[in-house]
Amino acid sequence: MPIYEAPTRDMQFVLHDLLKVAEADIPGYEELDRETTAAILEEAGKLSENVLAPLNTVGDEQGCTLENGVVRTPEGFRDAYEQMRAGGWMGLDADPEYGGQGMPYLIGSAVGEMFVSANMAFNMYQGLTHGAYSAIHTHGSDAQKRTYLPKMVDGIWSGTMNLTEPHCGTDLGLIRTKAEPQDDGTWRITGQKIWISAGEHDLSENIIHLVLAKAPGGGEGTRGISLFIVPKFMVNEDGSLGARNAVSCGGLEKKMGIHGNATCVMNYDGATGYLVGELHKGMRAMFTMMNEARIGVGLQGYAQGVVAYQNALAFARDRLQGRDVTGPANPEGPADPIIVHPDVRRNLLHQKSFVEGARAFTFWGAQMIDRAHRNQDAEAEAMISLLTPVIKGFLTDKGFETTVLAQQTLGGSGFTREWGLEQFVRDARITMIYEGTNGIQSLDLVGRKLGQNGGKTIMAFFEMVKGFAKEHAGQDEAFDRDFLDPLKQASKDLQAAGMFFMQQGMKNPQAALSGSYDFMHLFGHVCLGLMWAKMGLAARAALAEGRGDAEFLEAKLATGRYYMARQLPATAMHLKRIESGAEPVMTLDAASF
């Protein structure tokens, strides 16, 4: 049985030593002292370790079943769901007006990491509900909010997002699902959606589907798309449930991973729907869900890396094989634990330095979301918009890579189901695909986000890195050498790539798009390099002041030095690929592949 231990100590370091949340000028953050965040994280950690993690293998082995239109979730999922509801975890960062606790998005992200690491498939049920809640909260009418949000925040009702159809995924302008206006102000929704996570299940009394459909008069492409609430059961005026709506699950997908989550074909056969927001402006409302979901998927990617790394580390400490080349480390035993071998240590440090850097990056992004929403900060909104495809694309690519490295640590044992590593690999794989494939994320980054605000946001990022390096340079020769110099070089590589796109983009757009995937990774490495430099500074300050666990802080510095020396130099490789332009990619004609 795989293990999972909630990384609350590292989370506390990121929250208080790195981000200094209690000192931030964001409404609600003044309540986030160490004692408060410790209490929240510890309780979430107990739920993750004792309830969710033991069900992860159960969910993978049993999967979901469809019987006479009813989807049954794996054994134990309903009890776990009720415990989540009872603890108020589903409304942790939701609006108090609708029964939520009003905590910052950052705290929801920290708790969410633990839930995902413990049981990714299970957490998707409430994750989709949170996204649907956010869309209705932002774009719904007051009546819609009163009708749906309290029970969605409570978890007694759940939610979904319905975009993809059999003939179209990313290009939503091709959708065929139709919405026909009715005399009573409702809409008649007809069509089929596929790959709908949590589309049908037995965990909640009602499921509130958010469905993209085309209404008359909207024109071609995405301009004609509107967003509709389509409940599984109709809701009476007093809030009680009425008749079953004309929406049903037509089948369950047989998938590589996340078996515990129901991925459904959803059929809408003249179902009753209610318009959300403005007619023909559905993409605007759906992007509220999609942007939140993309950051959440980035979190899923590294969170699977976290639990995989923990299991790889435990194995490496216990598995005896070979001898340390410098002399026996376990002279009383027949062999030494494999963690003494340099290549195993390289493998483990690659995992550790990524997941800790990714946690800091994601929490920093979550803090930006809080600043954007709670302070109405347009610059923070622009920055997190720029970074969203990096969080989603880079962290899921590297998160999957981390699960593979963890599996490799176990050798042949990692290939067997008994040890659980192969499930982490399978579950992590979807994160690179859904909510927009990572190729789409890179195109969004280069094709749309770099040029937003006339390029002011990416320039602000460059200035942020430059300002940090300038402020802290010259104070300590070792810190300059180990952290600041590699960061400055990586940032120069990123700026050079951006300059290449500016020079080539208009006259040869294929040159820019051919390098977009490398740019996303280059950008991701710079972001993690910035996080590691900041964490290194925070760890040094804590050691100098005698705060915290010295062994933990020294390990933080050593891990950071590994990332800066062994992972961050990848920026040079990515820049070289970008500067090769379109020719190596586009020369071969389609028939010659």
Side-chain angles (χ1 to χ4, degrees):
M1 177 71 71
I3 62 167
Y4 175 66
E5 181 179 349
T8 54
R9 181 170 62 172
D10 197 63
M11 289 182 173
Q12 285 284 81
F13 173 82
V14 174
L15 292 173
H16 297 285
D17 293 279
L18 174 64
L19 300 179
K20 301 185 183 299
V21 291
E23 302 171 22
D25 61 337
I26 301 174
Y29 272 49
E30 68 278 0
E31 300 176 3
L32 301 182
D33 55 67
R34 286 183 183 269
E35 292 73 21
T36 299
T37 56
I40 295 170
L41 296 178
E42 285 169 12
E43 286 304 310
K46 291 176 185 177
L47 183 62
S48 301
E49 294 171 0
N50 301 326
V51 178
L52 302 186
L55 292 174
N56 197 39
T57 301
V58 174
D60 185 58
E61 293 178 348
Q62 292 186 5
C64 296
T65 56
L66 176 62
E67 302 172 358
N68 300 319
V70 178
V71 172
R72 305 294 183 191
T73 52
E75 181 180 350
F77 271 42
R78 292 188 71 177
D79 288 341
Y81 189 85
E82 288 305 310
Q83 289 190 55
M84 295 283 281
R85 279 192 58 227
W89 295 107
M90 297 179 184
L92 185 65
D93 60 349
D95 190 341
E97 184 175 348
Y98 303 104
Q101 298 183 47
M103 296 296 291
Y105 180 82
L106 171 59
I107 298 302
S109 297
V111 168
E113 181 202 308
M114 290 186 275
F115 292 165
V116 171
S117 289
N119 195 324
M120 177 173 157
F122 174 87
N123 193 65
M124 288 173 64
Y125 291 101
Q126 68 173 22
L128 270 297
T129 303
H130 193 286
Y133 154 86
S134 296
I136 297 173
H137 187 268
T138 303
H139 301 282
S141 67
D142 289 340
Q144 289 171 341
K145 294 176 187 178
R146 289 192 301 270
T147 299
Y148 300 106
L149 295 189
K151 291 186 177 180
M152 293 175 74
V153 168
D154 175 82
I156 196 169
W157 294 355
S158 58
T160 70
M161 53 192 295
N162 286 236
L163 289 75
T164 305
E165 299 185 6
H167 57 282
C168 72
T170 300
D171 191 355
L172 291 172
L174 299 176
I175 68 171
R176 296 172 184 162
T177 299
K178 294 182 179 180
E180 300 172 297
Q182 305 299 296
D183 292 340
D184 61 359
T186 64
W187 296 76
R188 183 180 175 88
I189 310 299
T190 303
Q192 185 179 79
K193 300 289 184 176
I194 63 170
W195 304 338
I196 307 306
S197 299
E200 173 62 35
H201 55 81
D202 57 359
L203 301 180
S204 62
E205 293 181 2
N206 202 5
I207 303 175
I208 311 305
H209 301 289
L210 290 187
V211 183
L212 287 182
K214 285 192 173 180
E220 296 299 317
T222 58
R223 291 174 298 175
I225 293 178
S226 300
L227 181 66
F228 299 89
I229 291 172
V230 185
K232 174 181 174 180
F233 289 99
M234 303 301 293
V235 181
N236 298 321
E237 288 189 11
D238 63 359
S240 63
L241 296 183
R244 176 72 185 254
N245 206 350
V247 53
S248 61
C249 176
L252 291 178
E253 301 293 348
K254 296 180 180 179
K255 303 167 295 185
M256 175 179 176
I258 53 169
H259 295 157
N261 192 268
T263 305
C264 304
V265 175
M266 300 301 299
N267 296 320
Y268 294 86
D269 301 308
T272 299
Y274 306 89
L275 179 67
V276 179
E278 297 181 53
L279 188 64
H280 309 313
K281 303 292 185 182
M283 290 303 296
R284 180 188 305 170
M286 186 57 81
F287 266 110
T288 297
M289 289 185 70
M290 290 176 68
N291 287 334
E292 177 180 314
R294 285 172 174 174
I295 293 172
V297 171
L299 183 149
Q300 286 181 329
Y302 87 78
Q304 288 299 285
V306 169
V307 66
Y309 164 67
Q310 289 185 2
N311 283 269
L313 177 61
F315 184 92
R317 285 172 169 165
D318 291 341
R319 174 70 166 177
L320 301 181
Q321 190 165 303
R323 286 294 189 187
D324 187 338
V325 294
T326 63
N330 179 32
E332 303 303 318
D336 292 334
I338 63 172
I339 198 170
V340 305
H341 303 308
D343 191 61
V344 173
R345 295 173 65 85
R346 172 203 58 78
N347 191 335
L348 291 171
L349 273 168
H350 216 74
Q351 299 168 52
K352 178 178 171 64
S353 65
F354 166 72
V355 297
E356 292 182 12
R359 176 179 297 123
F361 182 28
T362 303
F363 285 18
W364 180 53
Q367 186 180 43
M368 267 187 250
I369 291 175
D370 282 328
R371 185 175 296 281
H373 294 172
R374 293 177 175 235
N375 293 42
Q376 298 298 303
D377 189 324
E379 291 183 0
E381 182 74 45
M383 185 62 72
I384 192 57
S385 176
L386 171 68
L387 294 176
T388 293
V390 184
I391 291 172
K392 196 283 185 185
F394 180 71
L395 296 190
T396 58
D397 274 357
K398 290 296 182 181
F400 174 73
E401 177 185 303
T402 298
T403 64
V404 174
L405 289 171
Q407 183 185 41
Q408 187 73 16
T409 308
L410 273 68
S413 297
F415 199 65
T416 65
R417 290 197 170 186
E418 176 186 359
W419 291 86
L421 271 295
E422 59 87 33
Q423 182 189 346
F424 301 139
V425 172
R426 289 186 288 105
D427 286 354
R429 186 64 183 89
I430 186 58
T431 65
M432 302 161 71
I433 298 172
Y434 61 13
E435 301 308 333
T437 66
N438 287 355
I440 294 295
Q441 301 305 315
S442 70
L443 296 179
D444 177 47
L445 175 63
V446 171
R448 294 178 62 243
K449 299 298 175 62
L450 283 187
Q452 70 181 8
N453 301 325
K456 290 181 181 178
T457 307
I458 186 64
M459 294 306 297
F461 180 85
F462 292 146
E463 288 301 314
M464 182 195 312
V465 177
K466 182 179 178 181
F468 172 81
K470 185 176 181 180
E471 179 183 356
H472 299 289
Q475 300 176 17
D476 182 274
E477 183 179 344
F479 185 74
D480 285 1
R481 180 189 67 241
D482 296 339
F483 289 92
L484 293 185
D485 291 347
L487 176 62
K488 288 190 287 186
Q489 181 56 54
S491 182
K492 289 178 182 177
D493 290 342
L494 184 63
Q495 292 179 64
M499 184 62 68
F500 177 83
F501 290 152
M502 289 178 62
Q503 294 171 345
Q504 297 289 324
M506 295 299 292
K507 62 182 181 182
N508 185 9
Q510 287 185 334
L513 297 182
S514 295
S516 62
Y517 210 92
D518 281 283
F519 186 81
M520 181 178 72
H521 274 249
L522 201 169
F523 204 160
H525 276 299
V526 172
C527 288
L528 261 64
L530 177 62
M531 292 299 100
W532 270 116
K534 289 189 171 187
M535 285 193 287
L537 193 69
R540 289 174 73 252
L543 281 168
E545 297 166 15
R547 291 185 287 107
D549 181 342
E551 184 178 353
F552 169 83
L553 295 169
E554 291 288 1
K556 182 65 69 176
L557 285 165
T559 306
R561 285 192 290 268
Y562 176 90
Y563 190 90
M564 305 306 275
R566 298 293 295 256
Q567 295 214 55
L568 192 56
T571 60
M573 174 192 69
H574 291 300
L575 175 61
K576 194 73 173 177
R577 289 175 175 174
I578 290 166
E579 292 179 337
S580 71
E583 185 177 359
V585 176
M586 303 304 298
T587 297
L588 197 62
D589 62 68
S592 298
F593 273 84

